[in-house]
Amino acid sequence: MTTRPRITGFTLIEVIVVVAIIGIVSAVAIPSYTDYVTRARRAEAKSALHMAAMWMERNQAATFRYDADPSGATVGDALLATRGWGQTPPSGTARYTIAFASGPTAGTFVLAATPQGGQATADSACGGPLAIDHIGQRGVLDGGNVKVNEASEACWQR
């Protein structure tokens, strides 16, 4: 009696099961990863807004005004860029641009982080550019002012 050699390998059913499992895991993992990346980029923009707002407050404490620094130079978008706050990330492709939406005047300012490119699509649930003003109010930009609503609160919270 002769024995046939044993053929090893995967059956078609095994391959189909593996492909199905990979498909299910991908269907869950890819949207979660995309949401994570969107939130990480938003957190970087919020950090840049906070750093710029804190600098504005320190400047106001030193000069008693927001629109001029201690040397008398005008405070504006160019200052944000020289300090590395003009966009996030500071180098490379901008995901957000940071700029003054209103002012600064002697007594007020509104800073806004406007999403760029794919981030604008991913961040559409926020309802507009993230914004912070001279009283620390955080929300979204609405006609040069900070508007606080449920969607903006959610974007600032996570």
Side-chain angles (χ1 to χ4, degrees), residues 41-87:
R41 290 175 178 162
R42 186 184 311 134
E44 188 176 15
K46 291 187 295 188
S47 175
L49 280 174
H50 278 117
M51 288 185 345
M54 285 187 300
W55 185 88
M56 291 294 290
E57 291 302 328
R58 286 192 306 272
N59 180 61
Q60 197 273 343
T63 63
F64 302 106
R65 55 187 313 125
Y66 291 115
D67 59 352
D69 70 7
S71 69
T74 302
V75 172
D77 292 337
L79 175 80
L80 295 176
T82 59
R83 295 195 172 267
W85 303 320
Q87 73 174 42

Side-chain angles (χ1 to χ4, degrees), residues 89-140:
S91 60
T93 304
R95 303 293 182 199
Y96 283 87
T97 56
I98 313 293
F100 286 100
S102 176
T105 65
T108 65
F109 71 87
V110 176
L111 285 162
T114 306
Q116 303 296 308
Q119 187 70 21
T121 304
D123 242 4
S124 61
C126 290
L130 298 173
I132 190 167
D133 63 12
H134 62 284
I135 60 173
Q137 188 172 345
R138 304 177 313 175
V140 293

Side-chain angles (χ1 to χ4, degrees), residues 2 13 25 33 36 42-43 67 82 92 101 104 122 124 136:
T2 56
I13 297 295
V25 168
Y33 176 73
Y36 169 78
R42 186 184 311 134
D67 59 352
T82 59
S124 61

